[in-house]
Amino acid sequence: MEEVEIPQYFLCPISLMIMKDPVTTVTGITYDRDSIEMWLFTAEEEDVAAETTCPVTKQKLPRDIELLTPNHMLRRLIQAWCIANASNGIDRIPTPKYPLNKSHIQRLVRQVNNDQLCVEALRKIDALVIENEKNRKCLEEVGAIKAMVSFIIKNLKERKLITGLEEALRIFQLVWSPTTENEQLVKENRDLIEAILWILRSEMTKNQEVIKTHAMMVLKNVIGVSSSSLISGLNPEFFQEMVSILRKESKHHISQQATKAALQVLIDACQWGRNKQKIIESGAIFELIELELGNTEKRVSELVLCVLAHLCTLADGRAEFLKHAAGIGVVTKRTLRVSSSTDDCAIQILGSIAKCSATKEVLMEMLKVGAVSKLCMVIQASCGDYLKKKAMEILRTHSYAWSNSPCIQVYLLTRYPGQ
């Protein structure tokens, strides 16, 4: 196969690749559409107020992508050249899709509120969302999130799962960004949370795992920006539903992605009001330990131990933690084996237990399952000074109970006299 020389004007000045959809800017320079649109989007995200410039001429360049003019003549030349050089391994460029304009997307979003047109509109919007980032950004700008919120709440008001729910949840999940407008829309929206809970509780004949996974991802986004008053007022039934998602029995109804979303919701909720007590009373600690016993994914471990660390700050949380025969053992096992954030949470948990619930039986359990030796290892490992200090504090506090253990060396208890 002979080497093919590509005409210079076939190459995009940004990507330096053969242009598939050449468009000309107001500065007269032709770029591949994907490259110049990404250039404009990136510039806007970095500084909305700053002017965008043409990469080649450095002249002022409007950010409106509808001002990009398709260069049909150049595209036909490139197509013909690719066909002529097919025998040399050059692929024919595909015919580009006609770019959607904002008015067309606005019309689709308005149709979501029309009972006769909403299902088809949602399917079309869903296809656009999946296609590319440009479509998602445009949908956000024309108010797609507001339309999806209204549609999701409609399920609750009518007490039935409306056709198009899967698409509406996925559109919300993929289009969502925590803008001021979106936050104002959902941060006090109790109806939206109730609608999502109703969806999670509902029995479905098909696509149950997909729909409930999308519902949990939407809930995670909503709770992440909700007001403190809304989160503080979450009722016990809310936390019972989150805990039910963690149960092994529900795994055929829910994905690991949804499990991680539920864990993040619990972490966010722990910060406010009496939520930690509500979570403990919902039976979360037992389910968290059971979940971690069979877990092999790093991120799940980080989230589980973070929730446990929050809950073990309360006496009831520590009592529930110690009721599970594998509680101390699973936390010990994860220490120094997952990540620095997991180590931090694990030492917090062991520290809370050792400080406030250190009965003779608990201290012997810590020795038996290897927690004491792990604390010794933390002092010697490349951990943060905070963790080493905390581990040393635990060891010194209970040295009388563990002094006869071969894993406790005198030098470990005296090595850092200043701590």
Side-chain angles (χ1 to χ4, degrees):
M1 182 185 299
E2 63 180 78
E3 187 174 339
V4 180
E5 184 176 349
I6 304 172
Q8 190 66 27
Y9 61 96
F10 285 4
L11 303 178
C12 172
I14 297 175
S15 67
L16 301 181
M17 304 290 288
I18 295 176
M19 289 183 278
K20 298 177 180 178
D21 184 11
V23 292
T24 304
T25 65
V26 295
T27 60
I29 305 299
T30 297
Y31 301 91
D32 198 16
R33 182 182 292 278
D34 285 346
S35 296
I36 191 61
E37 287 185 354
M38 183 58 67
W39 172 274
L40 296 174
F41 286 145
T42 302
E44 184 174 7
E45 289 175 355
E46 289 177 352
D47 191 343
V48 176
E51 291 184 349
T52 310
T53 57
C54 173
V56 173
T57 67
K58 307 304 179 186
Q59 294 175 309
K60 183 179 177 181
L61 187 62
R63 287 179 174 147
D64 190 350
I65 61 174
E66 293 188 24
L67 295 178
L68 300 174
T69 305
N71 193 327
H72 298 299
M73 178 62 73
L74 180 56
R75 182 173 60 80
R76 285 194 287 269
L77 287 172
I78 295 173
Q79 286 267 28
W81 180 85
C82 289
I83 293 170
N85 287 278
S87 59
N88 293 316
I90 302 296
D91 295 328
R92 185 177 185 274
I93 63 170
T95 301
K97 293 183 179 180
Y98 188 76
L100 291 168
N101 56 48
K102 190 172 288 188
S103 61
H104 173 74
I105 295 182
Q106 284 175 324
R107 186 164 59 253
L108 285 176
V109 170
R110 286 197 299 269
Q111 289 174 355
V112 173
N113 296 318
N114 186 309
D115 290 343
Q116 285 72 42
L117 303 175
C118 67
V119 174
E120 186 60 28
L122 284 166
R123 287 173 181 164
K124 289 179 178 178
I125 295 172
D126 189 36
L128 292 172
V129 164
I130 294 170
E131 190 173 290
N132 58 51
E133 179 64 29
K134 178 183 69 176
N135 291 346
R136 292 193 283 273
K137 188 173 182 63
C138 187
L139 280 160
E140 182 189 347
E141 291 172 353
V142 301
I145 291 295
K146 184 177 181 179
M148 296 311 114
V149 168
S150 297
F151 187 85
I152 293 167
I153 293 175
K154 187 178 180 182
N155 285 265
L156 177 67
K157 292 180 177 178
E158 298 188 6
R159 290 290 166 178
K160 65 177 183 179
L161 297 171
I162 303 172
T163 304
L165 177 60
E166 179 182 342
E167 289 83 359
L169 291 166
R170 180 163 48 240
I171 292 164
F172 185 110
Q173 178 190 343
L174 295 177
V175 173
W176 170 265
S177 66
T179 62
T180 301
E181 184 178 353
N182 286 342
E183 288 184 16
Q184 290 296 324
L185 182 65
V186 305
K187 73 175 185 177
E188 297 283 358
N189 201 326
R190 296 181 185 276
D191 286 345
L192 177 57
I193 292 177
E194 285 300 318
I196 297 170
L197 286 179
W198 186 79
I199 292 166
L200 290 170
R201 296 186 188 115
S202 300
E203 290 298 322
M204 306 169 194
T205 55
K206 61 178 182 178
N207 294 343
Q208 181 162 243
E209 181 178 318
V210 173
I211 292 174
K212 292 191 175 184
T213 295
H214 287 317
M216 271 309 311
M217 299 304 292
V218 169
L219 182 61
K220 183 190 76 168
N221 290 331
V222 171
I223 292 296
V225 298
S226 291
S227 67
S228 59
S229 61
L230 187 149
I231 299 177
S232 298
L234 292 172
N235 58 37
E237 289 74 23
F238 175 90
F239 297 109
Q240 288 166 12
E241 188 60 37
M242 294 302 101
V243 171
S244 73
I245 291 170
L246 306 180
R247 290 196 183 100
K248 291 181 178 178
E249 290 81 5
S250 70
K251 283 296 182 282
H252 63 285
H253 293 315
I254 215 81
S255 68
Q256 193 168 50
Q257 188 180 22
T259 299
K260 286 186 277 190
L263 290 167
Q264 186 61 57
V265 166
L266 292 177
I267 291 169
D268 291 340
C270 277
Q271 321 293 327
W272 305 103
R274 294 186 63 257
N275 286 341
K276 282 190 280 193
Q277 188 66 40
K278 296 175 191 174
I279 295 169
I280 293 166
E281 291 171 357
S282 70
I285 289 181
F286 178 88
E287 300 300 342
L288 287 164
I289 296 170
E290 288 292 308
L291 174 63
E292 188 57 22
L293 283 171
N295 173 53
T296 57
E297 186 176 334
K298 172 185 173 181
R299 184 55 183 159
V300 172
S301 291
E302 291 174 340
L303 294 169
V304 166
L305 266 70
C306 184
V307 180
L308 287 173
H310 280 295
L311 302 183
C312 283
T313 60
L314 299 186
D316 286 349
R318 293 189 295 274
E320 289 299 312
F321 179 83
L322 292 171
K323 280 182 185 178
H324 198 298
I328 297 176
V330 75
V331 169
T332 298
K333 185 176 181 181
R334 293 295 182 258
T335 308
L336 299 179
R337 296 185 65 177
V338 181
S339 68
S340 57
S341 64
T342 305
D343 294 341
D344 195 351
C345 292
I347 298 301
Q348 284 186 53
I349 295 167
L350 295 176
S352 295
I353 298 297
K355 181 178 181 180
C356 305
S357 305
T359 63
K360 181 178 179 181
E361 292 75 15
V362 168
L363 294 176
M364 289 302 102
E365 176 71 10
M366 291 180 71
L367 188 61
K368 180 181 176 182
V369 300
V372 177
S373 58
K374 267 293 175 70
L375 290 168
C376 294
M377 292 170 65
V378 167
I379 295 172
Q380 301 173 82
S382 56
C383 300
D385 290 340
Y386 159 78
L387 288 184
K388 292 185 178 186
K389 185 175 181 179
K390 187 67 177 178
M392 178 63 73
E393 180 184 323
I394 298 169
L395 290 170
R396 281 181 170 166
T397 301
H398 300 291
S399 59
Y400 67 92
W402 299 325
S403 59
N404 293 328
S405 170
C407 68
I408 297 289
Q409 302 295 330
V410 174
Y411 81 93
L412 285 177
L413 300 177
T414 60
R415 187 175 177 185
Y416 304 98
Q419 295 185 357

